[in-house]
Amino acid sequence: MSEGRCSVAHMSSVVAPAKEANAMGPKAVELVLVKEQNGVQLTNSTLLNPPQSPTEAQDRETWSKKADFLLSVIGFAVDLANVWRFPYLCYKNGGGAFLVPYLFFMVVAGVPLFYMELALGQFNREGAAGVWKICPILRGVGYTAILISLYIGFFYNVIIAWALHYLLSSFTTELPWTHCNHSWNSPRCSDARAPNASSGPNGTSRTTPAAEYFERGVLHLHESQGIDDLGPPRWQLTSCLVLVIVLLYFSLWKGVKTSGKVVWITATMPYVVLFALLLRGITLPGAVDGIRAYLSVDFHRLCEASVWIDAAIQICFSLGVGLGVLIAFSSYNKFTNNCYRDAIITTSVNSLTSFSSGFVVFSFLGYMAQKHSVPIGDVAKDGPGLIFIIYPEALATLPLSSVWAVVFFVMLLTLGIDSAMGGMESVITGLADEFQLLHRHRELFTLLVVLATFLLSLFCVTNGGIYVFTLLDHFAAGTSILFGVLMEVIGVAWFYGVWQFSDDIKQMTGRRPSLYWRLCWKFVSPCFLLFVVVVSIATFRPPHYGAYVFPEWATALGWAIAASSMSVVPIYAAYKLCSLPGSSREVRVCTAPPALLPSARPPARSGGSPGPAPTGSSRTSRRVWMGGDCARHEGWKLAYAITPETEHGRVDSGEVRQFTLHHWLVV
């Protein structure tokens, strides 16, 4: 928020912000009266609300093509979780019956929140923090989103490094996870998969070559005793991480002009590969059994609360709301872009991708189950275990296995890159829009951001790095995201106002959102998010990796990481209230028409009060000057904090719509 300051006789007063982004109208001059101890009143003036077209974008680039934006949003929303998370949830929660709660929450919360963020960024044309000029006290919500995106970058880039490591290892005649004859294999390794209860010759459970390659050959997990014994970074993974960071930097350094071109490959390649894998998967023996297990309908599971909770949480995370990415991407749109249509298209593509990827995943899982004569439940996993153990194991049994492995890990690489680009863009745009120095040196700032993520990601490529990865994955992007989105929708729908937000959308698209969307923003989405936040805390389970249970200090550290991002909201709100001028000195704020400059001001009456307003002054001016003294507004400090910066001139005249019952009730 831009603040003007005047200093007279070693005294200063903070006047209303002079920065105006989207308002049009007549000019207004603000007079600030500062009463000194000797009774002499001095005045100063500042120009309020300079007229500016809402379509103006001062030095702000836009997407070269509309398709660049759509592919960027789709590429960000469609990530690795669409492949490793949704199909497993669908299988675990009643098969096709899981689509009932999933689609329900998508319609009443997912799409409205997605639409809200696109419109918010496009209208205000700023990043996650800058858009909160609509409610300055909640600017911390934007910083929370930026911080969470930064945390995610610390471990998400590591997944891409794993995929790159597997990709490079696939250029061989025999995949290294095919047999147990390598230096990293243990005596427990067995080429033949057996049920979980089976035991090896020494009475210990057997492991597969693919599992040992991931945990011992790539991660070197056997050389670590736990999270308190990380060891040095592995040079192979560190090298892959360096390549990922370099790729990210050169995709982002020039802004959307470069990232918009990269997504033409990274956002489309996964669909080509998924289609090829689907064609290959459905021809495998046992594929039909896997697909049948994926789609088997058990409506009785809908009576279980856990099914609805899983669907609600999946919606929040799969669409990527609350990370500031959608706001950042849409801020580079043209002002008149149809963000409503974009929201419908991208959310539909995201859901269809999640659903269709289940056919690919379970066709191979059915094949694996039949090949090893085990139930599908023994091979069905989610998370990294699915894409780095189960799927590579299945690919290793196919003819031309190296070719299929290359194709599969190229898909993982492209799925991860565009999502990582989105997270980094949220950080870069959000902070560059706040600090002009960073904006002027975007290339250098981008380099600093990716280097910072690289240095902290090194903890995840050590011998015990998977424990750090699991801890960050469990806490950095869990409850904190849900809390951030909850505060975001409250700030937009309640403090800024659904009616005003709808006016903004009408100004952009020519049509006001229907009553359905306004009701969702005002009531349904906040209730939904509050429910999910409470449930996520109530059902909290300490993190674990396999049989390893994290110590209590690690869990406490995880909560500290989550709290560090959530606490930004109240901390910034307190700072904002304290930074406004307090009641310890007498400050009176008056608004006058442009003609009423300090030199033309009526002489002061006895006692220092100004004379009557000149004839012909505006209605607002008559209200303020009525009675021969400046109007003193009790509670104006809070009013400035919750009123959009574009309306601070109205606060000076006592018009605070947030202090009216109509503002809180209108939809």
Side-chain angles (χ1 to χ4, degrees):
M1 183 176 68
S2 175
E3 295 179 349
R5 292 182 180 270
C6 61
S7 176
V8 181
H10 307 293
M11 297 184 64
S12 64
S13 174
V14 180
V15 298
K19 182 180 178 181
E20 176 72 50
N22 295 310
M24 300 180 63
K27 295 181 179 179
V29 176
E30 180 182 64
L31 301 181
V32 179
L33 307 184
V34 182
K35 186 174 182 179
E36 290 186 307
Q37 293 180 353
N38 59 10
V40 178
Q41 283 190 341
L42 300 175
T43 67
N44 192 26
S45 64
T46 182
L47 183 64
L48 292 177
N49 303 339
Q52 182 180 10
S53 170
T55 58
E56 287 184 5
Q58 298 178 350
D59 300 327
R60 191 171 191 83
E61 60 182 333
T62 57
W63 298 98
S64 300
K65 299 178 182 178
K66 176 64 175 291
D68 294 355
F69 166 71
L70 288 177
L71 288 175
S72 295
V73 174
I74 292 173
F76 165 71
V78 178
D79 64 353
L80 295 168
N82 292 73
V83 177
W84 80 25
R85 178 72 175 161
F86 178 84
Y88 177 76
L89 284 179
C90 198
Y91 165 74
K92 187 183 77 169
N93 292 304
F98 181 72
L99 296 177
V100 174
Y102 178 82
L103 293 177
F104 172 75
F105 287 131
M106 173 66 76
V107 171
V108 302
V111 180
L113 293 172
F114 200 94
Y115 179 20
M116 182 189 73
E117 288 204 352
L118 292 184
L120 190 63
Q122 181 174 310
F123 184 83
N124 294 283
R125 303 187 66 77
E126 292 197 52
V131 297
W132 287 103
K133 58 190 176 184
I134 66 174
C135 184
I137 198 173
L138 291 180
R139 192 179 292 257
V141 175
Y143 288 119
T144 293
I146 293 172
L147 191 56
I148 294 174
S149 293
L150 191 61
Y151 286 164
I152 292 176
F154 297 158
F155 67 90
Y156 196 86
N157 293 339
V158 176
I159 305 176
I160 309 174
W162 293 343
L164 181 58
H165 186 285
Y166 268 80
L167 175 63
L168 298 176
S169 301
S170 299
F171 290 99
T172 179
T173 55
E174 182 181 75
L175 295 174
W177 55 86
T178 305
H179 300 294
C180 294
N181 55 357
H182 299 282
S183 59
W184 59 77
N185 291 125
S186 70
R188 299 167 51 203
C189 184
S190 174
D191 290 346
R193 172 180 287 273
N196 293 337
S198 65
S199 300
N202 298 325
T204 57
S205 59
R206 290 184 287 181
T207 57
T208 63
E212 292 215 339
Y213 178 74
F214 178 61
E215 295 188 343
R216 299 173 66 91
V218 177
L219 303 181
H220 290 261
L221 186 59
H222 60 290
E223 299 180 26
S224 172
Q225 300 299 316
I227 194 171
D228 51 355
D229 179 29
L230 296 180
R234 308 299 306 185
W235 71 266
Q236 299 94 333
L237 289 179
T238 302
S239 301
C240 292
L241 189 60
V242 169
L243 292 176
V244 171
I245 292 299
V246 170
L247 182 58
L248 282 175
Y249 174 71
F250 285 105
S251 298
L252 294 168
W253 69 322
K254 292 293 187 181
V256 297
K257 297 299 183 183
T258 54
S259 64
K261 299 298 180 290
V262 174
V263 293
W264 280 87
I265 298 175
T266 59
T268 57
M269 179 66 72
Y271 291 97
V272 176
V273 176
L274 280 174
F275 183 70
L277 289 173
L278 177 61
L279 293 180
R280 184 66 182 96
I282 58 178
T283 63
L284 297 173
V288 175
D289 295 332
I291 294 175
R292 186 180 296 115
Y294 171 55
L295 295 178
S296 61
V297 178
D298 183 6
F299 286 110
H300 295 290
R301 296 296 305 277
L302 297 181
C303 299
E304 300 177 14
S306 61
V307 175
W308 293 82
I309 293 171
D310 283 346
I313 294 176
Q314 175 65 15
I315 287 296
C316 290
F317 293 132
S318 66
L319 294 179
V321 295
L323 297 175
V325 179
L326 302 178
I327 294 176
F329 279 162
S330 62
S331 70
Y332 295 108
N333 275 333
K334 295 180 180 179
F335 186 79
T336 56
N337 176 66
N338 191 339
C339 53
Y340 169 72
R341 182 176 56 196
D342 294 343
I344 299 299
I345 292 174
T346 50
T347 53
S348 300
V349 170
N350 180 73
S351 297
L352 288 174
T353 303
S354 297
F355 181 66
S356 59
S357 65
F359 291 92
V360 180
V361 171
F362 274 86
S363 62
F364 278 88
L365 292 182
Y367 163 67
M368 289 296 295
Q370 177 171 312
K371 182 176 181 62
H372 297 291
S373 301
V374 297
I376 290 181
D378 286 350
V379 295
K381 296 182 178 180
D382 65 341
L386 174 65
I387 61 175
F388 291 112
I389 297 178
I390 302 300
Y391 232 91
E393 181 182 355
L395 295 173
T397 64
L398 301 178
L400 300 176
S401 58
S402 295
V403 175
W404 285 109
V406 169
V407 170
F408 177 73
F409 289 111
V410 164
M411 180 191 72
L412 294 187
L413 194 63
T414 54
L415 276 174
I417 283 292
D418 46 18
S419 296
M421 286 168 51
M424 291 295 98
E425 189 62 56
S426 172
V427 177
I428 296 166
T429 297
L431 294 178
D433 285 346
E434 286 291 278
F435 307 100
Q436 287 303 309
L437 177 63
L438 302 180
H439 180 75
R440 289 193 297 269
H441 303 281
R442 178 188 169 101
E443 295 178 10
L444 179 59
F445 177 52
T446 302
L447 179 62
L448 293 177
V449 170
V450 296
L451 282 178
T453 58
F454 167 73
L455 293 176
L456 290 170
S457 296
L458 289 177
F459 288 100
C460 296
V461 295
T462 57
N463 294 335
I466 190 64
Y467 301 128
V468 180
F469 172 90
T470 303
L471 191 72
L472 289 173
D473 185 35
H474 198 82
F475 287 101
T479 304
S480 53
I481 291 182
L482 302 174
F483 171 79
V485 182
L486 174 62
M487 298 306 300
E488 179 182 286
V489 73
I490 290 175
V492 172
W494 288 88
F495 284 92
Y496 185 55
V498 165
W499 192 260
Q500 181 62 51
F501 186 55
S502 300
D503 282 344
D504 296 346
I505 295 176
K506 182 180 180 181
Q507 191 175 349
M508 293 187 296
T509 65
R511 295 184 60 184
R512 173 181 293 274
S514 65
L515 179 62
Y516 169 77
W517 300 108
R518 302 199 302 271
L519 286 174
C520 285
W521 292 328
K522 187 83 170 185
F523 302 109
V524 180
S525 294
C527 292
F528 163 79
L529 289 166
L530 181 60
F531 162 76
V532 178
V533 168
V534 172
V535 166
S536 67
I537 297 175
T539 59
F540 169 77
R541 294 181 180 178
H544 65 88
Y545 180 79
Y548 178 79
V549 178
F550 284 76
E552 292 184 0
W553 68 264
T555 302
L557 176 62
W559 276 114
I561 294 173
S564 66
S565 56
M566 292 188 288
S567 62
V568 175
V569 177
I571 289 175
Y572 186 88
Y575 157 76
K576 191 63 184 176
L577 288 174
C578 293
S579 65
L580 291 171
S583 58
S584 58
R585 59 182 182 270
E586 186 178 1
V587 180
R588 296 173 181 175
V589 183
C590 307
T591 304
L596 190 58
L597 297 174
S599 59
R601 179 176 174 272
R605 296 176 178 175
S606 59
S609 61
T615 305
S617 60
S618 67
R619 182 169 61 89
T620 300
S621 179
R622 287 199 300 271
R623 286 187 56 190
V624 175
W625 286 77
M626 186 166 43
D629 202 350
C630 292
R632 183 168 184 170
H633 310 300
E634 298 296 334
W636 73 275
K637 192 172 186 179
L638 178 61
Y640 267 107
I642 65 175
T643 301
E645 294 179 9
T646 58
E647 299 179 18
H648 279 183
R650 296 181 180 180
V651 177
D652 300 336
S653 61
E655 300 177 15
V656 184
R657 58 184 175 87
Q658 284 81 0
F659 286 174
T660 63
L661 185 62
H662 177 266
H663 169 80
W664 298 98
L665 296 181
V666 69
V667 177

